[in-house]
Amino acid sequence: MIKTRKRRNTGRVTLQDVAKYAGVGSMTVSRALRTPELVSDKLREKVNQAVEALGYIPNATAGALASAQSHIIAVLLPSFTDKASADFMQSLQQVTNKHQYQILVGCYEHQPHKANDVINMLLQSNPAALVAFGSQLSDTHFLHINNANIPVVSVASQTNDQADISINCSYEKATYELTQYLISQGKRCIGYIGALQGQRLHHQQITGWSRALLKNYLNAEQSVTTPDPASLAYGREALTEILLRQPELDAVICSHESIALGMIFECRRRLIKIPQDLAIACLEGTENSAQMFPSMTSIRFDYHKMGKEAGKHLIALLQSLKNDDDNALDENTVINYHYRFEIGQSTP
């Protein structure tokens, strides 16, 4: 026997419920909510009373589709948990909120093969724009994005000429400078500990590290990397592994602050003196680097500032498009962000 199940009522108040309560037509309710200036004061008041009494929540997505306008900005992130993403998102949202845009976030958790599905999910919401932070957007990704015909902002991501606004970070240059500094302080056996192996950030960092060592005729083979995210535990494990390979190690550069902190804990356990026995420095440092003991030598990027800058340029672009400026997307905007090099007590 086949049983037919009745469709369950979601309980959500509809436009028709508001119209019935107010004693007007659905089109009148829709007009009163979307273009209240076209409705009489009396009708508008009846509709507002019905909305308030029933607790009606307008369907913003349907309204956007009907008007061919959207107040959603889609943001693609590699992770919800890393501090760079959090700092960037906080500042970006502060800017967009002032202009009545809402953020819709999609995260692929550092798994590039999932990025395409996340992008497609974001595009289904009919966003006004897409912001990609710390991501590697391929030609395949842009094929889907171009079909949506929306502007793209690429921040701290793999360089791609198809983005309308690009905010770039000099990760390779920063790693090169940090390695050169350690060499200038007399360090000759400098290792690299990195997380998220195979991804954009890791590739640029390890390129800068090896380039500086090879330029000075030093060994660029002492590296330990993992495809997993950075952590304190990994820092402790990586120090053990790299010292087994190279007992003469006198300095190490870590891709993330948490890895460096884990290494400091392990050095204390082993009674390894910092920086006398081993100098430790990190890339992707934060304000916490100065509060550690010893304070951490680090490279720092201002992701808060990047979020504000991305938001400011995106809002300006969207306003130009809204005003039918045909030249708004003719030229790409490229902004190169520098970094701060903070010397702490963890290096000579």
Side-chain angles (χ1 to χ4, degrees), residues 4 15 19 37 44 68 82 92-93 100 118 158 190 245 257 269 309:
T4 303
L15 188 76
E37 67 278 4
R44 188 165 61 246
D82 70 81
L92 176 66
Q93 190 158 19
Q100 282 71 55
V118 176
Q158 184 179 19
I190 304 171
R245 294 186 190 176
E257 187 179 76
R269 191 184 72 82
E309 198 75 15

Short mmCIF file of all heavy atoms in Angstrom, two decimals, residues 4 15 19 37 44 68 82 92-93 100 118 158 190 245 257 269 309:
data_model
loop_
_atom_site.label_atom_id
_atom_site.label_comp_id
_atom_site.label_asym_id
_atom_site.label_seq_id
_atom_site.Cartn_x
_atom_site.Cartn_y
_atom_site.Cartn_z
N THR A 4 0.37 8.39 0.75
CA THR A 4 0.64 9.73 0.25
C THR A 4 0.76 10.68 1.43
O THR A 4 -0.18 10.82 2.21
CB THR A 4 -0.48 10.22 -0.69
OG1 THR A 4 -0.61 9.28 -1.74
CG2 THR A 4 -0.15 11.59 -1.25
N LEU A 15 3.01 36.68 1.62
CA LEU A 15 2.48 37.95 1.13
C LEU A 15 0.95 37.89 1.05
O LEU A 15 0.25 38.87 1.36
CB LEU A 15 3.08 38.26 -0.24
CG LEU A 15 2.79 39.65 -0.82
CD1 LEU A 15 3.65 40.68 -0.11
CD2 LEU A 15 3.10 39.68 -2.31
N ALA A 19 -1.96 40.27 2.70
CA ALA A 19 -3.02 40.88 1.88
C ALA A 19 -4.40 40.55 2.45
O ALA A 19 -5.29 41.42 2.53
CB ALA A 19 -2.89 40.38 0.44
N GLU A 37 5.95 55.07 -1.86
CA GLU A 37 5.56 56.41 -2.32
C GLU A 37 4.45 56.36 -3.36
O GLU A 37 3.78 57.39 -3.62
CB GLU A 37 6.77 57.16 -2.88
CG GLU A 37 7.36 56.59 -4.16
CD GLU A 37 8.30 55.42 -3.92
OE1 GLU A 37 8.45 54.98 -2.76
OE2 GLU A 37 8.90 54.94 -4.91
N ARG A 44 -1.10 52.31 2.89
CA ARG A 44 0.22 51.98 3.42
C ARG A 44 0.16 51.67 4.91
O ARG A 44 0.80 50.75 5.41
CB ARG A 44 1.18 53.14 3.16
CG ARG A 44 2.64 52.80 3.49
CD ARG A 44 3.60 53.81 2.88
NE ARG A 44 3.38 55.15 3.37
CZ ARG A 44 2.96 56.18 2.64
NH1 ARG A 44 2.69 55.99 1.35
NH2 ARG A 44 2.79 57.38 3.16
N ALA A 68 15.85 42.90 -10.76
CA ALA A 68 17.16 42.72 -11.37
C ALA A 68 18.24 43.41 -10.56
O ALA A 68 19.29 43.75 -11.07
CB ALA A 68 17.15 43.23 -12.81
N ASP A 82 40.80 30.86 10.43
CA ASP A 82 42.08 31.57 10.48
C ASP A 82 41.86 33.06 10.68
O ASP A 82 40.87 33.64 10.23
CB ASP A 82 42.93 31.29 9.22
CG ASP A 82 42.36 31.95 7.98
OD1 ASP A 82 42.60 33.14 7.79
OD2 ASP A 82 41.68 31.26 7.19
N LEU A 92 35.42 44.28 5.97
CA LEU A 92 34.61 44.33 4.75
C LEU A 92 33.14 44.53 5.09
O LEU A 92 32.44 45.35 4.48
CB LEU A 92 34.79 43.04 3.96
CG LEU A 92 33.92 42.90 2.70
CD1 LEU A 92 34.31 43.94 1.66
CD2 LEU A 92 34.03 41.49 2.11
N GLN A 93 32.65 43.80 6.09
CA GLN A 93 31.25 43.89 6.46
C GLN A 93 30.90 45.25 7.04
O GLN A 93 29.79 45.77 6.82
CB GLN A 93 30.90 42.80 7.47
CG GLN A 93 29.40 42.66 7.71
CD GLN A 93 29.03 41.30 8.25
OE1 GLN A 93 29.88 40.58 8.78
NE2 GLN A 93 27.78 40.93 8.13
N GLN A 100 23.92 49.30 2.92
CA GLN A 100 22.78 48.38 2.85
C GLN A 100 23.05 47.13 2.03
O GLN A 100 22.15 46.56 1.40
CB GLN A 100 21.54 49.10 2.29
CG GLN A 100 20.82 49.99 3.29
CD GLN A 100 21.60 51.25 3.63
OE1 GLN A 100 21.95 52.00 2.73
NE2 GLN A 100 21.86 51.49 4.90
N VAL A 118 31.13 25.57 -4.03
CA VAL A 118 30.80 26.69 -3.14
C VAL A 118 30.50 27.94 -3.97
O VAL A 118 29.55 28.68 -3.68
CB VAL A 118 31.97 26.97 -2.16
CG1 VAL A 118 31.67 28.21 -1.32
CG2 VAL A 118 32.20 25.77 -1.27
N GLN A 158 45.55 34.27 -5.76
CA GLN A 158 46.39 34.04 -6.93
C GLN A 158 46.05 35.08 -7.98
O GLN A 158 44.89 35.34 -8.28
CB GLN A 158 46.14 32.64 -7.48
CG GLN A 158 47.03 32.27 -8.65
CD GLN A 158 46.75 30.85 -9.12
OE1 GLN A 158 45.69 30.30 -8.83
NE2 GLN A 158 47.68 30.26 -9.84
N ILE A 190 69.14 27.51 7.71
CA ILE A 190 67.81 28.07 7.96
C ILE A 190 66.74 27.15 7.37
O ILE A 190 66.72 26.89 6.16
CB ILE A 190 67.67 29.48 7.34
CG1 ILE A 190 68.78 30.39 7.87
CG2 ILE A 190 66.29 30.07 7.63
CD1 ILE A 190 68.87 31.73 7.17
N ARG A 245 66.59 15.63 11.14
CA ARG A 245 67.20 15.70 9.81
C ARG A 245 68.47 16.55 9.84
O ARG A 245 69.45 16.24 9.18
CB ARG A 245 66.23 16.32 8.81
CG ARG A 245 64.99 15.52 8.50
CD ARG A 245 64.25 16.24 7.40
NE ARG A 245 62.93 15.71 7.16
CZ ARG A 245 62.08 16.25 6.28
NH1 ARG A 245 62.44 17.32 5.60
NH2 ARG A 245 60.87 15.73 6.12
N GLU A 257 51.94 31.95 12.64
CA GLU A 257 52.29 32.29 14.01
C GLU A 257 52.07 31.12 14.97
O GLU A 257 52.87 30.88 15.88
CB GLU A 257 51.45 33.50 14.45
CG GLU A 257 51.80 34.09 15.79
CD GLU A 257 50.93 35.28 16.10
OE1 GLU A 257 49.74 35.07 16.47
OE2 GLU A 257 51.39 36.43 15.97
N ARG A 269 60.74 22.96 26.37
CA ARG A 269 60.73 21.61 26.93
C ARG A 269 62.09 20.95 26.76
O ARG A 269 62.54 20.21 27.64
CB ARG A 269 59.65 20.78 26.23
CG ARG A 269 59.37 19.44 26.90
CD ARG A 269 58.36 18.62 26.12
NE ARG A 269 58.92 18.11 24.89
CZ ARG A 269 59.68 17.01 24.81
NH1 ARG A 269 59.98 16.32 25.91
NH2 ARG A 269 60.14 16.59 23.64
N GLU A 309 39.62 48.52 2.29
CA GLU A 309 39.97 48.95 0.93
C GLU A 309 39.14 48.21 -0.11
O GLU A 309 38.64 48.80 -1.07
CB GLU A 309 41.46 48.70 0.70
CG GLU A 309 42.05 49.48 -0.46
CD GLU A 309 42.26 50.94 -0.15
OE1 GLU A 309 42.21 51.32 1.02
OE2 GLU A 309 42.46 51.71 -1.11
#
